[in-house]
Structure formats: structure tokens, C-alpha cells
Amino acid sequence: MNEKEIAEIRRRFRPDKSNITCIRGCYVNGNREIISQFSQSLTLTSQEESEQILSSLKRTLSGALGKNLTDITFSTQQVVDSEEHRLLMALKNSSLNDEQAVQAFYQRVIEALNLDGHYMILLAHDTYDVPYRSKDGETLEDASSEVFSYILCSICPVKMTKPALSYFASDNMLHNRAADWIVAAPELGFLFPAFDDRSANIYNALYYSRDISENHKEFVDAIFHSETPMPAAEQKEAFDAILQETLEDACCYEVVQTVHEHLYEMIEEHKANKETEPLVISKNTVKNVLINCEIPNDRVEAFEEKYTQAFGADTEISPRNLVENKFQLKTPDVTIQVNPERSDLVETRIINGIKYILIRAEDGVEVNGVDIHIKRDPEEVE
């Protein structure tokens, strides 16, 4: 799925847009025991509560593609005959009314998921009359191209609030508000089937993980029996380590700056062109940057080998996982953050045998919020 397709489904999660009539779920304690189960009708729920419920579910479709949201792919054999795919299809085709399938799903999640504390498993089913879109991009709301039937699963931690002083309008007084259990934002979840090319794709699901350093591999394996991509945070750590280890003394500021700038420019260009397909790169993308930096061939070959070992020979990854929206230099005692577009203001130099990081500074220099003037060295010659 691309960003436009995800946004189109996200817009469904409003009381006046969705065909979600009820939410099914179960409450699981820290001992992996189901405390209670429920099926709550949204038609009998207040407008405010319905909006809150749908808003919470919608967060399962939030975050960045390649970071929080990743595609899970089923093999042809799985679609033809596998327990995991049959279970998901039974949930979808029955609109969550197949009691045996619902209970089997709950148990499969509980047995596999390593999540501390209490949590809720929430399930919703929706049918979407997909508006027809003409070749010029115009959407015709009164013309439907197909009906997209799908399920959304959200796993939400249940957390205890702290006691607090609160104002009660009923008696116009301040009282202590007791600690209570609240449903937090989803930790993980998925949409099935995927909405690819604005149509159902039963060979794919869209998986969500709130924490980019944790993809809950045990959950993905149990529900999809599929490999999960390396978490985004782990991808960045691996990439940084590969550059450092393989380039050795050639891993200087200018090389890292060039790699960062190249990937950042790709991201900005992709955004400016409003590309719908996710931006991905291969090892050759970075390899060509290193060659242009005149890195020795043996170091480039070492980079290729380590990259293949870490990510796979033909794996494409999102450059957004490799660079941040800030350019940061760090020593044991000092951290400097630079606008990614102005990393040219920084250079490294050795002066009288001492290593320095130099930052070109004109006007607008502040120290703890105070504008300062940089004094001229009395010995400096005009």
C-alpha cells in the first residue's frame, strides 16, 4: 500500500464514513488470561464515544511507511491452503460473526504475543464502496468500482492512571480522582487484506508497530507465519555500523556528510514530486555515492559484502530509516545539531595537531537564548 491508499482508508474511521457497526474484543491480564469479552455496537454508543473508539483504531494506520507500517506478504501456497490465511479470511468473510474463528484468533494472539501488563485485542470489520476514479484523477462519489471488505486488528495496552486532584462540576468542588484503568494507543495491529491499487489484495496485509525498534516478531510469525523486516531503528544502527567498520579510516566527516545529503535529497525530491509509491534504495545507491567520494575499491567491496549480510543481496529499504531530519555531530562532551540542508556550514580540521569541528557562524548566534557577538581576535590581520 502507498500513502494515498492508507490515507483513503484512514478517512473511513469516522461515524459518518464507516460501515463499522460493532467492535469485538477481549481484555487480557498479565497472566495471559482472558478476563472478559465484549461486542459493542457503535450504533448504540454515543457520538463522542464512537468518535473516540474509531480514532483509537485509526492509529493502527498511522506513522511512516517502512518504519511503523510495513507490508506483510503471503506466499501463493499460504493463500491456497494454510491455517493462518484461512483464519483471517474467515474473520473477514463472516464480518467477525464466526465465533469459532474469533476465539481461535484470540488464543493465537495471546499464546504468541510477548507484551507486559494488561491489554485489549480489538477487532473491527468494515465494507467500503470504493468510489470510481477516472483517468484524470477525478473521484465520482456516486459511482462505485468495487466493495472493499476488510478487518482491522488493534492491540492496545491497558494502563493504570495515577490518582489526581480534579474538579467536579456536580458539587462545584475539588476532590481526589481515584486511579483507574484506561485503554492506551495501539502498540501493534494490522489491516487485512491490503488495499493495493484501491482494490483488495488477499496476498498482503499492512502491519503496524508503534515502536520502530520493536516489530513483535513472535506476533507476526503466529498470525501471518511470515518473515518481518528488520525494525527501522535496527536498520539505522546496522547501516551506521557497516559504514564505520568497512570504510575504516576513510569514514571521515565529508563522506558521511555526502551519503547523508544524497539520501536526504532523495527524500525531499520524492516528497516534492508527490510520488505515491514508497521511496526505497538498494545497496548500489550507497555504493555509487562511495565511488563518487573516491573511496578505495577494496573498502567499497567490503561495504557491499557487509550490506548483503545485514540486509540481503536484493533487499530494498527506505532511506527514511537511515537518515534523520537532523544532522548531528557528537563528542563525549558536546552534541551539535545542524539543519540537514546546511551541513556545509560544518567542517573538520586539524590545527596545530589538535582536531577541531568548525562551524561557520554569521549573524543570529545565541547562547542560552541570548544574542551574542563573536569578538575579533586582536592578533587577526585584516
Side-chain angles (χ1 to χ4, degrees):
M1 292 178 65
N2 59 44
E3 292 178 356
K4 281 189 175 181
E5 290 161 348
I6 294 171
E8 186 171 352
I9 298 301
R10 276 175 54 85
R11 288 192 289 270
R12 299 284 304 157
F13 288 82
R14 289 167 41 188
D16 60 329
K17 292 288 187 181
S18 78
N19 288 319
I20 299 174
T21 56
C22 76
I23 303 296
R24 295 204 61 166
C26 69
Y27 185 13
V28 183
N29 66 15
N31 296 322
R32 296 186 174 185
E33 301 167 335
I34 295 179
I35 297 176
S36 62
Q37 300 189 37
F38 61 91
S39 180
Q40 182 170 342
S41 171
L42 292 189
T43 58
L44 300 178
T45 304
S46 70
Q47 175 84 6
E48 182 180 0
E49 289 178 345
S50 292
E51 289 177 353
Q52 290 177 338
I53 292 170
L54 293 174
S55 177
S56 179
L57 291 171
K58 184 169 70 173
R59 292 189 183 186
T60 311
L61 300 174
S62 62
L65 272 172
K67 280 191 174 183
N68 308 94
L69 296 167
T70 55
D71 283 319
I72 299 293
T73 302
F74 293 100
S75 68
T76 301
Q77 182 57 42
Q78 282 181 293
V79 174
V80 172
D81 183 23
S82 69
E83 289 185 11
E84 59 274 6
H85 199 271
R86 272 199 304 272
L87 179 57
L88 294 176
M89 291 297 291
L91 294 172
K92 179 189 79 73
N93 292 339
S94 69
S95 304
L96 301 178
N97 290 318
D98 184 331
E99 194 62 33
Q100 184 176 354
V102 170
Q103 296 304 319
F105 180 80
Y106 289 161
Q107 290 304 319
R108 185 168 290 200
V109 172
I110 294 168
E111 290 171 6
L113 185 59
N114 294 321
L115 200 62
D116 293 334
H118 299 218
Y119 62 89
M120 279 190 172
I121 304 173
L122 302 179
L123 287 169
H125 175 266
D126 185 28
T127 53
Y128 174 33
D129 289 327
V130 183
Y132 176 76
R133 186 171 291 169
S134 60
K135 292 182 179 180
D136 59 4
E138 183 180 355
T139 299
L140 305 177
E141 296 292 344
D142 57 347
S144 176
S145 56
E146 73 166 273
V147 176
F148 175 53
S149 171
Y150 66 95
I151 58 171
L152 184 83
C153 170
S154 297
I155 310 294
C156 302
V158 179
K159 300 181 179 180
M160 175 71 79
T161 63
K162 294 182 179 179
L165 188 65
S166 183
Y167 170 73
F168 288 75
S170 56
D171 60 0
N172 197 31
M173 296 284 285
L174 294 173
H175 299 288
N176 282 328
R177 183 178 293 276
D180 201 359
W181 293 97
I182 62 167
V183 180
E187 182 70 21
L188 66 152
F190 66 88
L191 176 143
F192 174 82
F195 187 57
D196 291 334
D197 294 327
R198 306 184 72 239
S199 182
N201 178 7
I202 62 173
Y203 284 81
N204 280 72
L206 184 69
Y207 176 66
Y208 168 79
S209 180
R210 183 189 63 82
D211 187 351
I212 64 171
S213 64
E214 173 60 78
N215 59 14
H216 297 282
K217 184 179 184 300
E218 74 287 351
F219 175 88
V220 175
D221 185 56
I223 301 304
F224 306 108
H225 200 60
S226 174
E227 290 293 324
T228 54
M230 184 185 296
E234 193 175 327
Q235 287 182 11
K236 177 167 173 41
E237 290 177 6
F239 182 76
D240 292 346
I242 291 169
L243 279 181
Q244 181 178 333
E245 293 171 8
T246 59
L247 301 190
E248 297 180 344
D249 57 353
C251 190
C252 61
Y253 172 77
E254 289 75 18
V255 171
V256 175
Q257 177 194 32
T258 302
V259 171
H260 186 283
E261 284 184 346
H262 183 78
L263 297 180
Y264 184 78
E265 287 170 3
M266 289 180 65
I267 294 170
E268 291 301 301
E269 183 179 352
H270 184 267
K271 187 188 302 182
N273 293 337
K274 298 181 179 180
E275 300 284 350
T276 57
E277 293 305 313
L279 175 63
V280 292
I281 62 170
S282 67
K283 67 179 177 183
N284 288 331
T285 307
V286 183
K287 173 187 172 183
N288 291 334
V289 176
L290 298 179
I291 292 173
N292 290 335
C293 290
E294 299 183 350
I295 299 297
N297 289 336
D298 62 327
R299 296 297 90 210
V300 174
E301 290 173 1
F303 170 83
E304 281 191 280
E305 182 179 347
K306 286 284 187 180
Y307 187 101
T308 299
Q309 291 174 2
F311 300 110
D314 302 317
T315 301
E316 294 181 322
I317 58 179
S318 170
R320 290 184 174 89
N321 298 349
L322 307 182
V323 297
E324 300 178 3
N325 293 328
K326 59 185 178 184
F327 193 79
Q328 181 173 281
L329 296 90
K330 192 173 184 179
T331 74
D333 302 306
V334 177
T335 299
I336 304 168
Q337 291 188 8
V338 184
N339 181 336
E341 297 179 354
R342 296 310 313 271
S343 61
D344 60 297
L345 295 175
V346 182
E347 62 177 297
T348 57
R349 192 182 300 176
I350 298 177
I351 303 175
N352 297 328
I354 301 175
K355 299 174 182 177
Y356 287 91
I357 298 173
L358 304 181
I359 305 173
R360 188 167 74 251
E362 303 297 339
D363 297 328
V365 180
E366 294 182 3
V367 175
N368 291 338
V370 179
D371 289 331
I372 65 164
H373 297 280
I374 300 176
K375 294 182 179 180
R376 182 184 297 276
D377 187 339
E379 298 180 2
E380 182 181 353
V381 180
E382 290 286 350

